[in-house]
Amino acid sequence: MFKIQRSANGRVVFTLSGRIEAEDVKELRQLLALETARQHLVLDLSDVTLVNEGAAKFLAGCEADSIKLENCPAYIREVMASAAVFIADPKQSQERLQHENLSLRGGVDRASMCDEIVGTSAALKRVLSLVSKVAPTDASVLVTGETGTGKELVAGAIHRRSRRSSRAFVSVNCAAIPRDLIASELFGHEKGSFTGAVQRRLGRFELAEGGTIFLDEVGELPMQTQIALLRVLQEHEFERVGGTRSIQTNVRVVAATNRNLQEAIAAGTFRSDLFYRLNVFPIEIAPLRERREDIPVLVEYFIDRCARNVGKNIRRIEKNSLDLLQSYPWPGNIRELQNVIERSVIVCETENFSVDETWLAQQPGASESKGQSGLSQKLAAQEKEMIEAALSESGGQVFGPSGAAAMLGMPRSTVESKIRTLRINKNRFKTCAVNADDHDRTSP
């Protein structure tokens, strides 16, 4: 329930407590519509114990001067953080709420994001270990991996385990925004700064103030925007497009890409200084084909979630279907697996889950994988031979001016990844190098 208090200066405080139902929200909405002094509105949620989804969405979108959340549960703070109203200027607060509720609109479901990182493989455990170590800090993180491996889930997990977890998590897909609009999207713009800018607009960095901004596909940023982003990381300030005033910012940056940024630097399409600013703490996510032991757990997880969504009860997974799913190379990684499971659950008419194998055969890359398996094996063998030759010459050393990575002209992280993928034991080359040195010293 809720009560209303009005002070002499026109300040209106709505105090909510206990269980908030849909009818409460309807009544509250009507009362808010009658208020003429919205700029003095305060929502006090300190004693709220349960808010349903509709109420949470409404409350997060209220044009309030401030919100009190001292004793309410963490999940309510998570939703309310998207409103980004914890600022002193009521006008700025209203503008922020009026323009974007990005962390709410873009993913209220992120409340369970950590739980959605499913798997038991050693590769995934390494990723989660890195997440737990870097989350409490404010270090910039660069998450790399193929499309569909779950880079945004990792970014969300970092945010939820950080000191900024009660504030906004704003996600930006840099590849989905036109190049001539990306600067305005990230840093905002002033009225009249370009054709169509009929009013001032806050950018994503302002909306993420005090929280975390996730820059997905950061390798697609145009060069001019890279310079502005570098300034944010170095000086913690930026200017809106068309603006002249520097705006201080306190935002943690987590970036992700499926591109090789070292190659982009060599090609002149990505700044090396920006790369080193973003790559303070790198996290590489292995593709699903390299952690097949996670597939049964993921299959069970997606079946359970999809079955509940469509109101079905699936009790058993057919063994041949599970074998098929584990043998498939999954070029689209976890996202592709999720799509196949969801489609299978929709057409499933019994309590036994099965997959139509023709769906996998028709997937892009599946037939190519079968048709070119011999060629792929030959290429892998040649690649392994080249890396082993470089390791032998460098004495098992990967990095450094005389390391295998420098000899091969490849980034150290790429060489290390290929060593793991091709199961090369680099330690044995260290022994070979020592023996060779001993032989040289004893030779006449």
Side-chain angles (χ1 to χ4, degrees):
M1 303 302 292
F2 56 86
K3 63 180 180 179
I4 304 173
Q5 294 175 310
R6 293 178 175 85
S7 61
N9 61 4
R11 190 177 184 86
V12 181
V13 179
F14 283 80
T15 302
L16 291 83
S17 60
R19 183 183 180 91
I20 306 301
E21 301 288 359
E23 56 267 23
D24 298 321
V25 174
K26 182 178 180 181
E27 183 180 355
L28 182 59
R29 189 188 298 271
Q30 292 172 345
L31 290 170
L32 287 173
L34 297 175
E35 292 298 331
T36 58
R38 288 281 186 92
Q39 68 271 22
H40 298 295
L41 178 64
V42 176
L43 286 177
D44 187 349
L45 306 181
S46 299
D47 296 320
V48 171
T49 56
L50 179 63
V51 178
N52 64 20
E53 183 179 1
K57 287 183 178 180
F58 168 71
L59 293 174
C62 285
E63 297 179 10
D65 174 30
S66 62
I67 297 179
K68 296 182 179 180
L69 300 169
E70 283 81 358
N71 301 314
C72 69
Y75 72 92
I76 296 178
R77 291 198 301 271
E78 178 75 20
V79 174
M80 300 308 298
S82 63
V85 295
F86 303 90
I87 48 182
D89 183 0
K91 182 178 179 181
Q92 187 178 358
S93 174
Q94 287 185 354
E95 183 180 18
R96 189 174 297 197
L97 288 165
Q98 186 176 5
H99 277 82
E100 297 285 353
N101 264 327
L102 288 174
S103 80
L104 174 69
R105 188 179 301 171
V108 173
D109 292 338
R110 291 195 181 101
S112 60
M113 189 172 291
C114 289
D115 297 334
E116 291 183 1
I117 302 179
V118 177
T120 59
S121 66
L124 185 60
K125 289 179 180 177
R126 281 196 299 270
V127 169
L128 295 179
S129 174
L130 292 174
V131 167
S132 65
K133 291 175 181 176
V134 75
T137 74
D138 277 336
S140 299
V141 180
L142 180 62
V143 186
T144 57
E146 296 179 5
T147 298
T149 51
K151 295 186 288 293
E152 185 168 1
L153 291 180
V154 169
I158 292 171
H159 172 71
R160 287 179 56 80
R161 299 183 187 188
S162 73
R163 295 188 297 267
R164 300 173 180 265
S165 60
S166 63
R167 306 305 297 272
F169 175 82
V170 176
S171 178
V172 184
N173 188 326
C174 301
I177 302 172
R179 297 174 69 87
D180 54 345
L181 295 178
I182 185 65
S184 170
E185 194 70 25
L186 290 177
F187 309 114
H189 63 252
E190 299 291 348
K191 180 179 179 180
S193 57
F194 54 85
T195 303
V198 296
Q199 61 182 357
R200 187 177 72 171
R201 184 179 187 276
L202 301 184
R204 304 293 181 101
F205 270 92
E206 287 181 85
L207 294 166
E209 179 64 23
T212 303
I213 189 167
F214 173 57
L215 302 178
D216 197 8
E217 303 302 341
V218 71
E220 305 302 324
L221 286 176
M223 191 61 70
Q224 196 64 32
T225 309
Q226 291 180 34
I227 297 173
L229 178 57
L230 180 63
R231 181 187 176 192
V232 172
L233 293 171
Q234 289 179 335
E235 309 295 337
H236 304 289
E237 64 180 24
F238 62 90
E239 293 177 3
R240 297 193 188 105
V241 175
T244 57
R245 180 174 64 89
S246 294
I247 300 172
Q248 296 294 317
T249 183
N250 174 25
V251 176
R252 184 189 196 160
V253 176
V254 179
T257 182
N258 59 10
R259 294 179 56 188
N260 187 325
L261 293 184
Q262 294 279 17
E263 293 180 358
I265 292 171
T269 59
F270 199 84
R271 294 179 63 95
S272 60
D273 47 4
L274 177 58
F275 170 76
Y276 294 122
R277 283 286 181 178
L278 292 172
N279 198 44
V280 174
F281 196 91
I283 297 179
E284 182 179 1
I285 306 177
L288 188 56
R289 63 182 174 275
E290 293 181 11
R291 48 188 184 98
R292 295 184 184 274
E293 58 267 45
D294 287 339
I295 292 178
V297 184
L298 286 164
V299 168
E300 186 175 338
Y301 172 77
F302 287 132
I303 288 175
D304 178 67
R305 194 173 74 171
C306 295
R308 281 190 283 108
N309 288 342
V310 299
K312 293 186 177 182
N313 185 21
I314 296 179
R315 298 179 178 274
R316 180 177 172 272
I317 304 173
E318 293 187 1
K319 185 179 184 304
N320 59 342
S321 291
L322 185 59
D323 292 341
L324 179 65
L325 294 173
Q326 285 190 279
S327 62
Y328 182 66
W330 299 111
N333 292 292
I334 298 175
R335 186 178 296 123
E336 183 185 5
L337 172 63
Q338 180 180 357
N339 293 342
V340 170
I341 297 298
E342 185 173 0
R343 191 189 318 169
S344 302
V345 169
I346 290 172
V347 301
C348 185
E349 297 178 349
T350 68
E351 294 184 347
N352 295 334
F353 175 85
S354 61
V355 174
D356 187 340
E357 61 180 322
T358 60
W359 292 350
L360 300 183
Q362 293 171 357
Q363 296 293 323
S367 58
E368 179 183 351
S369 175
K370 293 178 181 178
Q372 297 185 358
S373 59
L375 177 61
S376 298
Q377 291 175 0
K378 290 181 180 178
L379 290 174
Q382 292 177 355
E383 193 172 45
K384 184 176 182 179
E385 184 179 348
M386 291 174 60
I387 293 174
E388 287 182 338
L391 286 170
S392 178
E393 189 173 345
S394 67
Q397 185 176 348
V398 176
F399 60 95
S402 60
M407 294 179 186
L408 296 169
M410 299 169 63
R412 171 193 172 185
S413 59
T414 303
V415 176
E416 292 280 10
S417 177
K418 290 184 179 294
I419 287 174
R420 291 194 299 269
T421 302
L422 298 172
R423 298 181 180 180
I424 299 173
N425 181 9
K426 60 185 179 183
N427 292 326
R428 66 187 178 93
F429 296 101
K430 295 178 181 179
T431 304
C432 292
V434 171
N435 291 340
D437 290 344
D438 291 343
H439 176 73
D440 291 340
R441 284 193 295 267
T442 57
S443 296

